[in-house]
Amino acid sequence: MKPLRYNHILCAARVALLALIACWMPAFAHPGGFTHAPVAGFGAGFVHPLTGIDHLLAMFAIGLWSSRQTLALRWLTPLIVAVAMAGGATLAWMGLSLFGVEFGIAFSVLLAGVCLCTLIRLPAAVGAASIFALLLLHGNAHGTELAYGAEALQCMVGFMVSSALITGVGCILGGRGLTARPRLLRIAGAAVVACGAGLILSV
């Protein structure tokens, strides 16, 4: 068993190193602050979370992690993510940009990776509150990039649906087979931790 464990540790280290190298670039984490052209429409909103490695990794890792939590939290996680995204965007529309949101987003990727790597189990209420707090930052970032009017509302619905789907896919993949292979989840978590560290360094 010792050689097997060593091989898994070595594999995790290699994956983490590659992920750190891949993410050690400012372009991955909202370069130069939130100064992109306004995003409008359902389609643009739906695609938006898929175009940022920070958003994609955080949501997917949270989905994978939730597959090993209580049944209630497992089912509620995609909904919590969608509501948190909407809440953060609404705050941005009201002119309330959360302090340190770029660093917070990068840190959320790191924290999601740590949770996945350690496979920590949390009470449903604590887990739900943690997910909401982390994704509120992501929603606030999206909200600062939206246009105004009806198209902005459509865009918000788009990224809510997309975010819930990303998280749901992670949860389904975790529940359909990865839960029987916790080492794979730990390796994935190590890669996400490395990406989070790279994103933090690039902020």
Side-chain angles (χ1 to χ4, degrees), residues 127-167:
S130 300
I131 293 169
F132 184 86
L134 293 178
L135 270 299
L136 195 69
L137 295 169
H138 291 259
N140 193 248
H142 283 306
T144 61
E145 298 169 341
L146 297 182
Y148 293 96
E151 287 192 339
L153 182 59
Q154 295 170 10
C155 184
M156 185 175 75
V157 174
F159 67 64
M160 286 175 63
V161 172
S162 179
S163 301
L165 286 175
I166 294 169
T167 310

PDB file of all heavy atoms in Angstrom, residues 127-167:
ATOM      1  N   GLY A 127     -22.378  24.964   6.100  1.00  0.00           N
ATOM      2  CA  GLY A 127     -21.981  24.811   4.707  1.00  0.00           C
ATOM      3  C   GLY A 127     -22.740  25.752   3.790  1.00  0.00           C
ATOM      4  O   GLY A 127     -22.155  26.386   2.908  1.00  0.00           O
ATOM      5  N   ALA A 128     -24.053  25.867   4.015  1.00  0.00           N
ATOM      6  CA  ALA A 128     -24.879  26.754   3.187  1.00  0.00           C
ATOM      7  C   ALA A 128     -24.448  28.209   3.340  1.00  0.00           C
ATOM      8  O   ALA A 128     -24.333  28.952   2.350  1.00  0.00           O
ATOM      9  CB  ALA A 128     -26.349  26.587   3.556  1.00  0.00           C
ATOM     10  N   ALA A 129     -24.192  28.636   4.582  1.00  0.00           N
ATOM     11  CA  ALA A 129     -23.770  30.016   4.835  1.00  0.00           C
ATOM     12  C   ALA A 129     -22.406  30.301   4.201  1.00  0.00           C
ATOM     13  O   ALA A 129     -22.188  31.390   3.641  1.00  0.00           O
ATOM     14  CB  ALA A 129     -23.715  30.278   6.339  1.00  0.00           C
ATOM     15  N   SER A 130     -21.511  29.336   4.256  1.00  0.00           N
ATOM     16  CA  SER A 130     -20.174  29.513   3.679  1.00  0.00           C
ATOM     17  C   SER A 130     -20.258  29.641   2.161  1.00  0.00           C
ATOM     18  O   SER A 130     -19.604  30.507   1.559  1.00  0.00           O
ATOM     19  CB  SER A 130     -19.282  28.331   4.054  1.00  0.00           C
ATOM     20  OG  SER A 130     -19.158  28.220   5.462  1.00  0.00           O
ATOM     21  N   ILE A 131     -21.056  28.773   1.543  1.00  0.00           N
ATOM     22  CA  ILE A 131     -21.228  28.830   0.086  1.00  0.00           C
ATOM     23  C   ILE A 131     -21.825  30.176  -0.321  1.00  0.00           C
ATOM     24  O   ILE A 131     -21.374  30.814  -1.277  1.00  0.00           O
ATOM     25  CB  ILE A 131     -22.127  27.677  -0.395  1.00  0.00           C
ATOM     26  CG1 ILE A 131     -21.419  26.344  -0.192  1.00  0.00           C
ATOM     27  CG2 ILE A 131     -22.500  27.853  -1.874  1.00  0.00           C
ATOM     28  CD1 ILE A 131     -22.320  25.129  -0.397  1.00  0.00           C
ATOM     29  N   PHE A 132     -22.844  30.611   0.405  1.00  0.00           N
ATOM     30  CA  PHE A 132     -23.504  31.877   0.080  1.00  0.00           C
ATOM     31  C   PHE A 132     -22.515  33.036   0.174  1.00  0.00           C
ATOM     32  O   PHE A 132     -22.474  33.904  -0.711  1.00  0.00           O
ATOM     33  CB  PHE A 132     -24.684  32.112   1.023  1.00  0.00           C
ATOM     34  CG  PHE A 132     -25.474  33.344   0.699  1.00  0.00           C
ATOM     35  CD1 PHE A 132     -26.493  33.291  -0.234  1.00  0.00           C
ATOM     36  CD2 PHE A 132     -25.194  34.556   1.321  1.00  0.00           C
ATOM     37  CE1 PHE A 132     -27.222  34.437  -0.554  1.00  0.00           C
ATOM     38  CE2 PHE A 132     -25.913  35.703   1.009  1.00  0.00           C
ATOM     39  CZ  PHE A 132     -26.940  35.640   0.068  1.00  0.00           C
ATOM     40  N   ALA A 133     -21.713  33.060   1.237  1.00  0.00           N
ATOM     41  CA  ALA A 133     -20.760  34.164   1.428  1.00  0.00           C
ATOM     42  C   ALA A 133     -19.726  34.202   0.315  1.00  0.00           C
ATOM     43  O   ALA A 133     -19.392  35.276  -0.204  1.00  0.00           O
ATOM     44  CB  ALA A 133     -20.076  34.018   2.788  1.00  0.00           C
ATOM     45  N   LEU A 134     -19.220  33.035  -0.064  1.00  0.00           N
ATOM     46  CA  LEU A 134     -18.205  32.988  -1.110  1.00  0.00           C
ATOM     47  C   LEU A 134     -18.764  33.408  -2.463  1.00  0.00           C
ATOM     48  O   LEU A 134     -18.145  34.187  -3.195  1.00  0.00           O
ATOM     49  CB  LEU A 134     -17.611  31.578  -1.208  1.00  0.00           C
ATOM     50  CG  LEU A 134     -16.779  31.091  -0.023  1.00  0.00           C
ATOM     51  CD1 LEU A 134     -16.305  29.666  -0.261  1.00  0.00           C
ATOM     52  CD2 LEU A 134     -15.585  32.011   0.208  1.00  0.00           C
ATOM     53  N   LEU A 135     -19.942  32.901  -2.808  1.00  0.00           N
ATOM     54  CA  LEU A 135     -20.506  33.193  -4.129  1.00  0.00           C
ATOM     55  C   LEU A 135     -21.107  34.590  -4.202  1.00  0.00           C
ATOM     56  O   LEU A 135     -21.328  35.110  -5.303  1.00  0.00           O
ATOM     57  CB  LEU A 135     -21.542  32.132  -4.492  1.00  0.00           C
ATOM     58  CG  LEU A 135     -20.990  30.911  -5.240  1.00  0.00           C
ATOM     59  CD1 LEU A 135     -20.380  31.330  -6.568  1.00  0.00           C
ATOM     60  CD2 LEU A 135     -19.956  30.148  -4.421  1.00  0.00           C
ATOM     61  N   LEU A 136     -21.369  35.212  -3.056  1.00  0.00           N
ATOM     62  CA  LEU A 136     -21.821  36.602  -3.058  1.00  0.00           C
ATOM     63  C   LEU A 136     -20.762  37.496  -3.719  1.00  0.00           C
ATOM     64  O   LEU A 136     -21.091  38.441  -4.448  1.00  0.00           O
ATOM     65  CB  LEU A 136     -22.089  37.061  -1.622  1.00  0.00           C
ATOM     66  CG  LEU A 136     -22.888  38.357  -1.456  1.00  0.00           C
ATOM     67  CD1 LEU A 136     -24.334  38.147  -1.884  1.00  0.00           C
ATOM     68  CD2 LEU A 136     -22.850  38.814   0.003  1.00  0.00           C
ATOM     69  N   LEU A 137     -19.501  37.182  -3.482  1.00  0.00           N
ATOM     70  CA  LEU A 137     -18.408  37.933  -4.091  1.00  0.00           C
ATOM     71  C   LEU A 137     -18.418  37.773  -5.606  1.00  0.00           C
ATOM     72  O   LEU A 137     -18.232  38.744  -6.349  1.00  0.00           O
ATOM     73  CB  LEU A 137     -17.070  37.454  -3.515  1.00  0.00           C
ATOM     74  CG  LEU A 137     -16.834  37.697  -2.024  1.00  0.00           C
ATOM     75  CD1 LEU A 137     -15.605  36.930  -1.560  1.00  0.00           C
ATOM     76  CD2 LEU A 137     -16.668  39.187  -1.746  1.00  0.00           C
ATOM     77  N   HIS A 138     -18.628  36.546  -6.057  1.00  0.00           N
ATOM     78  CA  HIS A 138     -18.663  36.293  -7.500  1.00  0.00           C
ATOM     79  C   HIS A 138     -19.830  37.037  -8.144  1.00  0.00           C
ATOM     80  O   HIS A 138     -19.684  37.620  -9.229  1.00  0.00           O
ATOM     81  CB  HIS A 138     -18.786  34.791  -7.763  1.00  0.00           C
ATOM     82  CG  HIS A 138     -17.563  34.020  -7.400  1.00  0.00           C
ATOM     83  ND1 HIS A 138     -16.644  33.605  -8.348  1.00  0.00           N
ATOM     84  CD2 HIS A 138     -17.095  33.592  -6.204  1.00  0.00           C
ATOM     85  CE1 HIS A 138     -15.661  32.948  -7.749  1.00  0.00           C
ATOM     86  NE2 HIS A 138     -15.912  32.921  -6.445  1.00  0.00           N
ATOM     87  N   GLY A 139     -20.982  37.026  -7.491  1.00  0.00           N
ATOM     88  CA  GLY A 139     -22.135  37.737  -8.012  1.00  0.00           C
ATOM     89  C   GLY A 139     -21.905  39.232  -8.069  1.00  0.00           C
ATOM     90  O   GLY A 139     -22.312  39.910  -9.024  1.00  0.00           O
ATOM     91  N   ASN A 140     -21.221  39.759  -7.050  1.00  0.00           N
ATOM     92  CA  ASN A 140     -20.932  41.189  -7.027  1.00  0.00           C
ATOM     93  C   ASN A 140     -20.008  41.571  -8.184  1.00  0.00           C
ATOM     94  O   ASN A 140     -20.186  42.624  -8.800  1.00  0.00           O
ATOM     95  CB  ASN A 140     -20.292  41.563  -5.691  1.00  0.00           C
ATOM     96  CG  ASN A 140     -20.255  43.051  -5.450  1.00  0.00           C
ATOM     97  OD1 ASN A 140     -19.200  43.659  -5.431  1.00  0.00           O
ATOM     98  ND2 ASN A 140     -21.425  43.656  -5.254  1.00  0.00           N
ATOM     99  N   ALA A 141     -19.047  40.711  -8.477  1.00  0.00           N
ATOM    100  CA  ALA A 141     -18.147  40.970  -9.600  1.00  0.00           C
ATOM    101  C   ALA A 141     -18.924  40.984 -10.913  1.00  0.00           C
ATOM    102  O   ALA A 141     -18.727  41.860 -11.757  1.00  0.00           O
ATOM    103  CB  ALA A 141     -17.053  39.909  -9.649  1.00  0.00           C
ATOM    104  N   HIS A 142     -19.826  40.025 -11.085  1.00  0.00           N
ATOM    105  CA  HIS A 142     -20.642  39.986 -12.299  1.00  0.00           C
ATOM    106  C   HIS A 142     -21.524  41.222 -12.388  1.00  0.00           C
ATOM    107  O   HIS A 142     -21.721  41.783 -13.469  1.00  0.00           O
ATOM    108  CB  HIS A 142     -21.517  38.732 -12.308  1.00  0.00           C
ATOM    109  CG  HIS A 142     -20.770  37.488 -12.666  1.00  0.00           C
ATOM    110  ND1 HIS A 142     -20.023  37.376 -13.814  1.00  0.00           N
ATOM    111  CD2 HIS A 142     -20.679  36.281 -12.043  1.00  0.00           C
ATOM    112  CE1 HIS A 142     -19.481  36.164 -13.882  1.00  0.00           C
ATOM    113  NE2 HIS A 142     -19.864  35.486 -12.819  1.00  0.00           N
ATOM    114  N   GLY A 143     -22.078  41.635 -11.261  1.00  0.00           N
ATOM    115  CA  GLY A 143     -22.980  42.784 -11.252  1.00  0.00           C
ATOM    116  C   GLY A 143     -22.315  44.062 -11.701  1.00  0.00           C
ATOM    117  O   GLY A 143     -22.952  44.919 -12.328  1.00  0.00           O
ATOM    118  N   THR A 144     -21.028  44.230 -11.387  1.00  0.00           N
ATOM    119  CA  THR A 144     -20.317  45.443 -11.803  1.00  0.00           C
ATOM    120  C   THR A 144     -20.049  45.463 -13.295  1.00  0.00           C
ATOM    121  O   THR A 144     -19.670  46.506 -13.846  1.00  0.00           O
ATOM    122  CB  THR A 144     -18.975  45.561 -11.057  1.00  0.00           C
ATOM    123  OG1 THR A 144     -18.152  44.431 -11.378  1.00  0.00           O
ATOM    124  CG2 THR A 144     -19.193  45.634  -9.558  1.00  0.00           C
ATOM    125  N   GLU A 145     -20.227  44.331 -13.963  1.00  0.00           N
ATOM    126  CA  GLU A 145     -19.937  44.236 -15.391  1.00  0.00           C
ATOM    127  C   GLU A 145     -21.199  44.272 -16.250  1.00  0.00           C
ATOM    128  O   GLU A 145     -21.120  44.162 -17.472  1.00  0.00           O
ATOM    129  CB  GLU A 145     -19.162  42.942 -15.668  1.00  0.00           C
ATOM    130  CG  GLU A 145     -17.817  42.880 -14.953  1.00  0.00           C
ATOM    131  CD  GLU A 145     -17.185  41.502 -15.004  1.00  0.00           C
ATOM    132  OE1 GLU A 145     -17.915  40.519 -15.255  1.00  0.00           O
ATOM    133  OE2 GLU A 145     -15.970  41.408 -14.798  1.00  0.00           O
ATOM    134  N   LEU A 146     -22.354  44.402 -15.617  1.00  0.00           N
ATOM    135  CA  LEU A 146     -23.610  44.334 -16.360  1.00  0.00           C
ATOM    136  C   LEU A 146     -24.015  45.688 -16.921  1.00  0.00           C
ATOM    137  O   LEU A 146     -23.706  46.737 -16.366  1.00  0.00           O
ATOM    138  CB  LEU A 146     -24.735  43.831 -15.455  1.00  0.00           C
ATOM    139  CG  LEU A 146     -24.597  42.418 -14.897  1.00  0.00           C
ATOM    140  CD1 LEU A 146     -25.822  42.069 -14.073  1.00  0.00           C
ATOM    141  CD2 LEU A 146     -24.398  41.402 -16.007  1.00  0.00           C
ATOM    142  N   ALA A 147     -24.763  45.639 -18.019  1.00  0.00           N
ATOM    143  CA  ALA A 147     -25.396  46.839 -18.564  1.00  0.00           C
ATOM    144  C   ALA A 147     -26.604  47.163 -17.683  1.00  0.00           C
ATOM    145  O   ALA A 147     -26.879  46.473 -16.695  1.00  0.00           O
ATOM    146  CB  ALA A 147     -25.833  46.590 -20.006  1.00  0.00           C
ATOM    147  N   TYR A 148     -27.362  48.188 -18.055  1.00  0.00           N
ATOM    148  CA  TYR A 148     -28.528  48.577 -17.275  1.00  0.00           C
ATOM    149  C   TYR A 148     -29.804  48.227 -18.026  1.00  0.00           C
ATOM    150  O   TYR A 148     -29.796  47.985 -19.221  1.00  0.00           O
ATOM    151  CB  TYR A 148     -28.486  50.087 -16.971  1.00  0.00           C
ATOM    152  CG  TYR A 148     -27.369  50.476 -16.050  1.00  0.00           C
ATOM    153  CD1 TYR A 148     -26.162  50.941 -16.553  1.00  0.00           C
ATOM    154  CD2 TYR A 148     -27.504  50.352 -14.670  1.00  0.00           C
ATOM    155  CE1 TYR A 148     -25.119  51.286 -15.713  1.00  0.00           C
ATOM    156  CE2 TYR A 148     -26.468  50.697 -13.820  1.00  0.00           C
ATOM    157  CZ  TYR A 148     -25.286  51.166 -14.338  1.00  0.00           C
ATOM    158  OH  TYR A 148     -24.241  51.502 -13.503  1.00  0.00           O
ATOM    159  N   GLY A 149     -30.916  48.206 -17.290  1.00  0.00           N
ATOM    160  CA  GLY A 149     -32.217  47.977 -17.908  1.00  0.00           C
ATOM    161  C   GLY A 149     -32.595  46.509 -17.976  1.00  0.00           C
ATOM    162  O   GLY A 149     -32.042  45.652 -17.275  1.00  0.00           O
ATOM    163  N   ALA A 150     -33.556  46.204 -18.862  1.00  0.00           N
ATOM    164  CA  ALA A 150     -34.108  44.857 -18.954  1.00  0.00           C
ATOM    165  C   ALA A 150     -33.051  43.838 -19.359  1.00  0.00           C
ATOM    166  O   ALA A 150     -33.074  42.690 -18.904  1.00  0.00           O
ATOM    167  CB  ALA A 150     -35.264  44.843 -19.954  1.00  0.00           C
ATOM    168  N   GLU A 151     -32.101  44.234 -20.217  1.00  0.00           N
ATOM    169  CA  GLU A 151     -31.067  43.297 -20.657  1.00  0.00           C
ATOM    170  C   GLU A 151     -30.165  42.875 -19.502  1.00  0.00           C
ATOM    171  O   GLU A 151     -29.640  41.768 -19.490  1.00  0.00           O
ATOM    172  CB  GLU A 151     -30.235  43.914 -21.782  1.00  0.00           C
ATOM    173  CG  GLU A 151     -30.975  43.991 -23.108  1.00  0.00           C
ATOM    174  CD  GLU A 151     -30.044  44.328 -24.251  1.00  0.00           C
ATOM    175  OE1 GLU A 151     -28.956  44.877 -23.982  1.00  0.00           O
ATOM    176  OE2 GLU A 151     -30.402  44.041 -25.400  1.00  0.00           O
ATOM    177  N   ALA A 152     -29.979  43.754 -18.551  1.00  0.00           N
ATOM    178  CA  ALA A 152     -29.178  43.409 -17.379  1.00  0.00           C
ATOM    179  C   ALA A 152     -29.879  42.343 -16.547  1.00  0.00           C
ATOM    180  O   ALA A 152     -29.249  41.417 -16.027  1.00  0.00           O
ATOM    181  CB  ALA A 152     -28.909  44.648 -16.534  1.00  0.00           C
ATOM    182  N   LEU A 153     -31.201  42.466 -16.427  1.00  0.00           N
ATOM    183  CA  LEU A 153     -31.964  41.465 -15.688  1.00  0.00           C
ATOM    184  C   LEU A 153     -31.893  40.112 -16.385  1.00  0.00           C
ATOM    185  O   LEU A 153     -31.721  39.082 -15.738  1.00  0.00           O
ATOM    186  CB  LEU A 153     -33.421  41.918 -15.551  1.00  0.00           C
ATOM    187  CG  LEU A 153     -34.343  40.996 -14.761  1.00  0.00           C
ATOM    188  CD1 LEU A 153     -33.823  40.818 -13.334  1.00  0.00           C
ATOM    189  CD2 LEU A 153     -35.770  41.545 -14.749  1.00  0.00           C
ATOM    190  N   GLN A 154     -32.002  40.125 -17.706  1.00  0.00           N
ATOM    191  CA  GLN A 154     -31.881  38.886 -18.459  1.00  0.00           C
ATOM    192  C   GLN A 154     -30.491  38.276 -18.283  1.00  0.00           C
ATOM    193  O   GLN A 154     -30.346  37.056 -18.158  1.00  0.00           O
ATOM    194  CB  GLN A 154     -32.144  39.152 -19.937  1.00  0.00           C
ATOM    195  CG  GLN A 154     -33.563  39.596 -20.258  1.00  0.00           C
ATOM    196  CD  GLN A 154     -33.701  40.080 -21.686  1.00  0.00           C
ATOM    197  OE1 GLN A 154     -32.794  39.915 -22.502  1.00  0.00           O
ATOM    198  NE2 GLN A 154     -34.833  40.696 -21.991  1.00  0.00           N
ATOM    199  N   CYS A 155     -29.496  39.132 -18.257  1.00  0.00           N
ATOM    200  CA  CYS A 155     -28.124  38.667 -18.063  1.00  0.00           C
ATOM    201  C   CYS A 155     -27.961  38.013 -16.693  1.00  0.00           C
ATOM    202  O   CYS A 155     -27.316  36.982 -16.566  1.00  0.00           O
ATOM    203  CB  CYS A 155     -27.170  39.845 -18.218  1.00  0.00           C
ATOM    204  SG  CYS A 155     -25.432  39.397 -18.123  1.00  0.00           S
ATOM    205  N   MET A 156     -28.559  38.629 -15.683  1.00  0.00           N
ATOM    206  CA  MET A 156     -28.469  38.072 -14.344  1.00  0.00           C
ATOM    207  C   MET A 156     -29.109  36.696 -14.282  1.00  0.00           C
ATOM    208  O   MET A 156     -28.554  35.758 -13.697  1.00  0.00           O
ATOM    209  CB  MET A 156     -29.122  38.995 -13.310  1.00  0.00           C
ATOM    210  CG  MET A 156     -28.943  38.499 -11.884  1.00  0.00           C
ATOM    211  SD  MET A 156     -29.594  39.641 -10.634  1.00  0.00           S
ATOM    212  CE  MET A 156     -31.348  39.367 -10.820  1.00  0.00           C
ATOM    213  N   VAL A 157     -30.258  36.546 -14.915  1.00  0.00           N
ATOM    214  CA  VAL A 157     -30.914  35.235 -14.970  1.00  0.00           C
ATOM    215  C   VAL A 157     -29.999  34.238 -15.679  1.00  0.00           C
ATOM    216  O   VAL A 157     -29.871  33.084 -15.264  1.00  0.00           O
ATOM    217  CB  VAL A 157     -32.274  35.338 -15.682  1.00  0.00           C
ATOM    218  CG1 VAL A 157     -32.873  33.945 -15.870  1.00  0.00           C
ATOM    219  CG2 VAL A 157     -33.236  36.219 -14.889  1.00  0.00           C
ATOM    220  N   GLY A 158     -29.337  34.697 -16.734  1.00  0.00           N
ATOM    221  CA  GLY A 158     -28.433  33.826 -17.476  1.00  0.00           C
ATOM    222  C   GLY A 158     -27.294  33.304 -16.635  1.00  0.00           C
ATOM    223  O   GLY A 158     -27.018  32.090 -16.624  1.00  0.00           O
ATOM    224  N   PHE A 159     -26.618  34.189 -15.892  1.00  0.00           N
ATOM    225  CA  PHE A 159     -25.489  33.676 -15.105  1.00  0.00           C
ATOM    226  C   PHE A 159     -25.949  32.944 -13.850  1.00  0.00           C
ATOM    227  O   PHE A 159     -25.215  32.127 -13.297  1.00  0.00           O
ATOM    228  CB  PHE A 159     -24.420  34.748 -14.820  1.00  0.00           C
ATOM    229  CG  PHE A 159     -24.791  35.889 -13.920  1.00  0.00           C
ATOM    230  CD1 PHE A 159     -25.103  35.685 -12.590  1.00  0.00           C
ATOM    231  CD2 PHE A 159     -24.766  37.193 -14.396  1.00  0.00           C
ATOM    232  CE1 PHE A 159     -25.393  36.746 -11.752  1.00  0.00           C
ATOM    233  CE2 PHE A 159     -25.060  38.266 -13.565  1.00  0.00           C
ATOM    234  CZ  PHE A 159     -25.379  38.031 -12.239  1.00  0.00           C
ATOM    235  N   MET A 160     -27.172  33.205 -13.385  1.00  0.00           N
ATOM    236  CA  MET A 160     -27.715  32.395 -12.288  1.00  0.00           C
ATOM    237  C   MET A 160     -27.913  30.957 -12.742  1.00  0.00           C
ATOM    238  O   MET A 160     -27.517  29.999 -12.054  1.00  0.00           O
ATOM    239  CB  MET A 160     -29.044  32.978 -11.811  1.00  0.00           C
ATOM    240  CG  MET A 160     -28.931  34.243 -10.988  1.00  0.00           C
ATOM    241  SD  MET A 160     -30.568  34.942 -10.607  1.00  0.00           S
ATOM    242  CE  MET A 160     -31.272  33.616  -9.612  1.00  0.00           C
ATOM    243  N   VAL A 161     -28.519  30.787 -13.926  1.00  0.00           N
ATOM    244  CA  VAL A 161     -28.761  29.444 -14.466  1.00  0.00           C
ATOM    245  C   VAL A 161     -27.445  28.736 -14.744  1.00  0.00           C
ATOM    246  O   VAL A 161     -27.256  27.567 -14.385  1.00  0.00           O
ATOM    247  CB  VAL A 161     -29.607  29.533 -15.759  1.00  0.00           C
ATOM    248  CG1 VAL A 161     -29.711  28.166 -16.432  1.00  0.00           C
ATOM    249  CG2 VAL A 161     -30.992  30.072 -15.453  1.00  0.00           C
ATOM    250  N   SER A 162     -26.523  29.432 -15.378  1.00  0.00           N
ATOM    251  CA  SER A 162     -25.229  28.843 -15.704  1.00  0.00           C
ATOM    252  C   SER A 162     -24.469  28.425 -14.450  1.00  0.00           C
ATOM    253  O   SER A 162     -23.901  27.330 -14.380  1.00  0.00           O
ATOM    254  CB  SER A 162     -24.401  29.848 -16.505  1.00  0.00           C
ATOM    255  OG  SER A 162     -23.137  29.326 -16.831  1.00  0.00           O
ATOM    256  N   SER A 163     -24.476  29.285 -13.443  1.00  0.00           N
ATOM    257  CA  SER A 163     -23.763  28.984 -12.200  1.00  0.00           C
ATOM    258  C   SER A 163     -24.357  27.773 -11.499  1.00  0.00           C
ATOM    259  O   SER A 163     -23.627  26.912 -10.979  1.00  0.00           O
ATOM    260  CB  SER A 163     -23.809  30.201 -11.267  1.00  0.00           C
ATOM    261  OG  SER A 163     -23.219  31.324 -11.870  1.00  0.00           O
ATOM    262  N   ALA A 164     -25.686  27.702 -11.480  1.00  0.00           N
ATOM    263  CA  ALA A 164     -26.349  26.553 -10.860  1.00  0.00           C
ATOM    264  C   ALA A 164     -26.013  25.271 -11.611  1.00  0.00           C
ATOM    265  O   ALA A 164     -25.794  24.212 -11.001  1.00  0.00           O
ATOM    266  CB  ALA A 164     -27.856  26.780 -10.837  1.00  0.00           C
ATOM    267  N   LEU A 165     -25.949  25.348 -12.942  1.00  0.00           N
ATOM    268  CA  LEU A 165     -25.628  24.169 -13.749  1.00  0.00           C
ATOM    269  C   LEU A 165     -24.197  23.707 -13.519  1.00  0.00           C
ATOM    270  O   LEU A 165     -23.941  22.497 -13.398  1.00  0.00           O
ATOM    271  CB  LEU A 165     -25.851  24.467 -15.228  1.00  0.00           C
ATOM    272  CG  LEU A 165     -27.305  24.541 -15.691  1.00  0.00           C
ATOM    273  CD1 LEU A 165     -27.380  24.952 -17.155  1.00  0.00           C
ATOM    274  CD2 LEU A 165     -28.015  23.211 -15.477  1.00  0.00           C
ATOM    275  N   ILE A 166     -23.254  24.647 -13.462  1.00  0.00           N
ATOM    276  CA  ILE A 166     -21.856  24.284 -13.211  1.00  0.00           C
ATOM    277  C   ILE A 166     -21.728  23.561 -11.874  1.00  0.00           C
ATOM    278  O   ILE A 166     -21.080  22.516 -11.760  1.00  0.00           O
ATOM    279  CB  ILE A 166     -20.962  25.540 -13.218  1.00  0.00           C
ATOM    280  CG1 ILE A 166     -20.921  26.164 -14.607  1.00  0.00           C
ATOM    281  CG2 ILE A 166     -19.540  25.185 -12.756  1.00  0.00           C
ATOM    282  CD1 ILE A 166     -20.289  27.549 -14.635  1.00  0.00           C
ATOM    283  N   THR A 167     -22.371  24.130 -10.854  1.00  0.00           N
ATOM    284  CA  THR A 167     -22.327  23.513  -9.525  1.00  0.00           C
ATOM    285  C   THR A 167     -23.020  22.163  -9.535  1.00  0.00           C
ATOM    286  O   THR A 167     -22.531  21.191  -8.943  1.00  0.00           O
ATOM    287  CB  THR A 167     -23.003  24.431  -8.491  1.00  0.00           C
ATOM    288  OG1 THR A 167     -22.472  25.756  -8.605  1.00  0.00           O
ATOM    289  CG2 THR A 167     -22.770  23.918  -7.078  1.00  0.00           C
TER     290      THR A 167
END
